[in-house]
Amino acid sequence: MFRSAICRALVAVNQSVVPNVTNRCLGTTAHRLGKVDTRTDDEIDKEIVTYLARTDIDSWQLRKTLQTIHTRDAIPDPNIITAVLKACRHQNDFPLALRFLETVQLKCGPHKKVVWPWLVQQIKPTLDDLGVPTPEEIGYDKPELYLEDVMDM
């Protein structure tokens, strides 16, 4: 009984004190560390392609770069996709290349029917050269236990 009363008191204290401290710290940190990125999208794309073209890049750096690409609020350009596929081939990481293609396909969002075929058309020579299939070619565009809808038969 005493233990539960102490736990409730600690939770109440944490809920009343911690949010105020956290909000204050985040506000001052963001104010002090906030930087404005003045680079253009083309410069950022060029830096990513140059970084991925390095021969000494390891698996962790490749995955970190892919995370950076995914956090950007844009569909990657075909030259970035090509550079990623070549870096994945250099690492012999076939699953990562397929996962990347799947996530690019998901980033197309509601414009998938227009943007994704264009992207595949642009990167098809690289895909053929590296031997990497598209997600549709290996059946990743449908769920594993996909059955045709009865109403469509």
Side-chain angles (χ1 to χ4, degrees), residues 12-106:
V13 169
N14 282 339
Q15 288 177 351
S16 65
V17 174
V18 173
N20 294 334
V21 173
T22 305
N23 289 341
R24 190 169 1 118
C25 292
L26 290 177
T28 56
T29 304
H31 179 69
R32 269 188 269 139
L33 298 179
K35 294 181 182 177
V36 177
D37 193 5
T38 58
R39 300 177 297 175
T40 64
D41 288 337
D42 293 333
E43 291 172 346
I44 295 171
D45 291 350
K46 195 178 294 185
E47 287 177 14
I48 291 172
V49 169
T50 304
Y51 184 77
L52 289 170
R54 292 180 16 201
T55 57
D56 63 337
I57 192 171
D58 65 358
S59 181
W60 183 87
Q61 292 169 330
L62 176 60
R63 290 173 186 272
K64 177 71 172 131
T65 306
L66 293 184
Q67 180 66 29
T68 304
I69 292 170
H70 290 309
T71 56
R72 292 179 69 198
D73 189 27
I75 300 169
D77 288 340
N79 58 353
I80 291 178
I81 298 172
T82 302
V84 168
L85 292 173
K86 288 180 180 177
C88 288
R89 179 65 184 133
H90 181 72
Q91 290 290 323
N92 288 328
D93 201 345
F94 178 74
L96 185 60
L98 280 178
R99 262 315 153 200
F100 179 73
L101 289 176
E102 285 179 322
T103 56
V104 169
Q105 189 177 19
L106 287 173

Side-chain angles (χ1 to χ4, degrees), residues 128-139:
D128 293 339
D129 184 40
L130 299 175
V132 177
T134 61
E136 292 88 8
E137 291 174 350
I138 57 175

